[in-house]
Amino acid sequence: MTSAHDAAVDLFAALAGRTPDGVWSAPGRANLIGEHTDYNDGFVLPFAIPQRTVAAVGRRADRRLRVASTFADEPVEIALDDLDRLFPTPPGTAPAVPEWAAYPLGVAWALRATAPAAAVSGLDIAIASDVPVGAGLSSSAAIEGATATALNELWDAGLDAVALARIGRTAENEAVGAPTGIMDQMASMLGEPDAAIFLDCRSLAADVVPLGMADAGLAVLVMDTRVTHAHSTGGYRERRAACERGAAILGVPALRDVAVADLARAESLMDDVTFRRVRHIVTENQRVQDTVATLRTAGARGIGDLLVASHASMRDDFEISTPELDAAVETALTSGAVGARMTGGGFGGAAIALVDRGAVPHLADAVRGRFAAEGFVAPHLFEVSPSAGPRRDA
């Protein structure tokens, strides 16, 4: 099987007829806990995963950008000077280029605006990835991270990792039109081995939290349901609007400013659906902080109940789970997992299970059997370990 690195280099050669000036990569991410809290200025605890998106990139002599992907049949080519005409994408409309191309081109647009003194030049960009698409593992942030890291070097922009994460979010929000927060980009840019990133999404203060999975004899099993989702479409946008509505009713800048003790008052002021959306965010923020505290005092084996409570909140209050996700989580727990929850934006995608390393085969077989019995599409099951952030590969 061809690696993503080799696939990107081969695609670049087919595109440009030469070898690239460099190859850069960035990881996807799994979120240990803290879902939909990022765009509410809250707290999250993601980690980078080994699966990566690779960008093979070379300078051009003209002022044109050409992007190609192993996921698309044809490259997309535009003039650099057309970026400001193409972006931002008006809210509620599709990008002026194919969506896959809006990610790298959006990064180029946002980076140029952030670093106007950068030595901007035309580029050929070839992209390949082994991050599962639509699984809630942020294949989009991996594209943005790999592209931004490459352009930061080739254009001599001199930006740090947080600035590049902001550029990725701008591309996703304003070029692609997906109303996501900054968690995915920060997780991809700041990832470290055997650690999660405790991120304050308001201040962007990030703290590396050791997980100690290997020492605890634990593994993280990703259970990709193969039910794909898209954050640029309805359900995600509706949840964000409900959160903004709840914050407005409570007179606060964001739901980050609401404590668990405030929920009784909140319930008296808003309709049931809005209240349940608010309750998920408020309690999820508390669960993230409790998880960090537990990791530091009791280790990874102590966080199982918090993961389970998070899934229940997403299923019942935020209503972003699916029958397949619920089945994966339930089966993992009855098969001995320390904890399990869906991860990512919801409406499909993946769940994660924290499980004794030796029990992974048994749990995986149980999940496959449950999916077969329910008539679901066979899941894609694989282990992940907390991994490093972006890098230049060659």
Side-chain angles (χ1 to χ4, degrees):
M1 181 177 177
T2 303
S3 69
H5 178 281
D6 290 347
V9 171
D10 290 347
L11 181 61
F12 185 92
L15 181 72
R18 63 183 180 91
T19 58
D21 293 331
V23 180
W24 292 262
S25 68
R29 67 97 190 95
N31 193 19
L32 192 60
I33 196 165
E35 228 64 76
H36 288 263
T37 48
D38 56 347
Y39 57 78
N40 288 286
D41 283 359
F43 301 99
V44 293
L45 191 65
F47 60 88
I49 61 176
Q51 289 76 11
R52 305 177 73 86
T53 292
V54 180
V57 188
R59 296 180 182 87
R60 293 171 58 111
D62 55 17
R63 290 181 59 83
R64 298 190 70 78
L65 294 174
R66 183 167 53 169
V67 294
S69 169
T70 56
F71 292 96
D73 293 332
E74 298 292 335
V76 172
E77 183 173 343
I78 66 165
L80 259 170
D81 297 326
D82 282 343
L83 286 171
D84 290 332
R85 178 181 61 81
L86 295 173
F87 305 121
T89 299
T93 66
V97 296
E99 185 173 290
W100 69 266
Y103 290 100
L105 294 176
V107 165
W109 165 71
L111 194 151
R112 193 172 67 157
T114 302
V120 174
S121 66
L123 298 170
D124 283 321
I125 304 172
I127 295 170
S129 182
D130 59 13
V131 182
V133 175
L137 300 174
S138 203
S139 56
S140 57
I143 294 172
E144 294 152 6
T147 305
T149 302
L151 270 57
N152 189 46
E153 183 174 335
L154 290 173
W155 286 357
D156 197 22
L159 300 174
D160 64 18
V162 173
L164 295 180
R166 289 180 183 271
I167 284 166
R169 177 180 61 178
T170 298
E172 188 136 353
N173 291 174
E174 300 184 29
V176 180
T180 58
I182 199 168
M183 172 184 69
D184 297 350
Q185 293 81 9
M186 288 288 282
S188 182
M189 294 303 301
L190 299 177
E192 292 194 16
D194 198 26
I197 305 299
F198 178 37
L199 176 65
D200 180 335
C201 294
R202 172 170 284 168
S203 68
L204 298 190
D207 193 7
V208 176
V209 180
L211 294 175
M213 295 290 185
D215 289 344
L218 293 173
V220 178
L221 181 69
V222 173
M223 303 173 287
D224 178 5
T225 66
R226 297 187 185 270
V227 177
T228 58
H229 63 182
H231 286 168
S232 57
T233 55
Y236 194 104
R237 192 178 300 274
E238 289 166 4
R239 298 310 185 276
R240 183 162 187 164
C243 293
E244 292 169 353
R245 185 167 63 249
I249 291 170
L250 293 170
V252 295
L255 293 182
R256 150 72 172 272
D257 303 297
V258 182
V260 172
D262 299 324
L263 286 174
R265 173 175 170 266
E267 188 172 18
S268 71
L269 295 175
M270 56 191 68
D271 64 89
D272 176 65
V273 170
T274 303
F275 170 69
R276 287 188 290 111
R277 305 299 187 249
V278 168
R279 183 168 60 186
H280 166 70
I281 299 302
V282 173
T283 58
E284 187 80 345
N285 270 326
Q286 187 61 55
R287 281 187 289 270
V288 174
Q289 295 173 83
D290 291 346
T291 298
V292 171
T294 302
L295 284 167
R296 287 173 169 160
T297 57
R301 285 191 177 274
I303 67 172
D305 289 347
L306 290 160
L307 303 185
V308 174
S310 174
H311 184 79
S313 182
M314 290 185 285
R315 181 191 64 212
D316 301 334
D317 278 354
F318 225 58
E319 297 183 290
I320 56 174
S321 190
T322 66
E324 292 87 349
L325 286 166
D326 292 341
V329 168
E330 292 165 6
T331 306
L333 293 173
T334 58
S335 300
V338 172
R341 63 184 287 274
M342 60 152 283
T343 187
F347 309 104
I352 57 171
L354 191 60
V355 60
D356 284 294
R357 185 167 300 280
V360 168
H362 166 70
L363 191 151
D365 286 344
V367 173
R368 292 189 189 97
R370 173 73 180 272
F371 272 53
E374 298 281 357
F376 299 150
V377 173
H380 179 207
L381 307 176
F382 54 97
E383 287 186 50
V384 295
S385 56
S387 299
R391 63 182 182 235
R392 179 168 180 159
D393 291 326

